[in-house]
Amino acid sequence: SGPDIWLASSFAYSVDGSYVHEEFGYFNETACFKGKPWLRIRYEGRWRSEATEASNVPDSVSSVAVDVVSVWLELAKDQVCARAIDGELQCMQTNETMSAVCPCNGWDWSTEGNEPRRRNVGMFCLPHPQCPILHEAFLHQTHHLYFKADAYRGCFSPTSTAAARPWDPALEQC
């Protein structure tokens, strides 16, 4: 039983075709509601409309492709401590974990005072083995998704690197 992990996500599809998706990682509910993440990942790229390939997709649903061209990792704290479900205080050396997951040619992930450590994965973490998870899953990949939106809300399918993907009828309930 590990620590209680909380995530927040925001994204923007702008009319000029630009795309920004940010994910924030928190080790507990309090940090989440205070807006104090230990990790931020920012994906930047371009989006475009694409033809819907599944035959059972309603006309009210659109399909887009997103090309991720830049991924930024930002580590806010060198160590994060949180109470596990059993009440035990558990601490994680986040800078050491980041060095193992995304070594970035040996660059130091330690934060500088209260300033977070920020890296552009595509620029500083090459070749591919220097940050394999982000290179394989996101960087220079095209992600496809369905969405349904109006002026007040939107519903989005999970993304996929496969252009031909099944339609999720749950999206119709949006």
Side-chain angles (χ1 to χ4, degrees), residues 71-72 105 120-126 135 139:
V71 179
W72 288 87
N105 299 299
N120 181 316
V121 174
M123 188 179 301
F124 299 115
C125 304
L126 289 171
H135 278 286
L139 198 54

Side-chain angles (χ1 to χ4, degrees), residues 41-153:
I41 305 173
R42 180 181 173 98
Y43 311 91
E44 299 172 347
R46 307 286 303 160
W47 72 271
R48 63 187 178 283
S49 294
E50 63 180 1
T52 303
E53 296 190 19
S55 60
N56 61 339
V57 177
D59 291 339
S60 62
V61 173
S62 299
S63 182
V64 297
V66 175
D67 297 312
V68 177
V69 298
S70 178
V71 179
W72 288 87
L73 285 174
E74 184 176 290
L75 185 64
K77 299 175 191 264
D78 291 336
Q79 175 178 286
V80 177
C81 297
R83 297 244 173 249
I85 294 171
D86 62 5
E88 182 182 338
L89 186 64
Q90 295 183 342
C91 296
M92 181 174 90
Q93 295 300 125
T94 57
N95 57 346
E96 292 174 9
T97 301
M98 288 301 299
S99 292
V101 172
C102 199
C104 287
N105 299 299
W107 281 32
D108 186 6
W109 277 102
S110 299
T111 59
E112 297 176 8
N114 289 329
E115 293 299 314
R117 176 67 71 173
R118 193 168 184 219
R119 296 276 185 266
N120 181 316
V121 174
M123 188 179 301
F124 299 115
C125 304
L126 289 171
H128 176 280
Q130 293 301 312
C131 199
I133 294 171
L134 290 177
H135 278 286
E136 288 173 20
F138 296 103
L139 198 54
H140 304 293
Q141 299 284 333
T142 299
H143 296 263
H144 306 271
L145 66 131
Y146 295 116
F147 76 95
K148 183 176 180 180
D150 60 27
Y152 303 102
R153 67 180 184 169

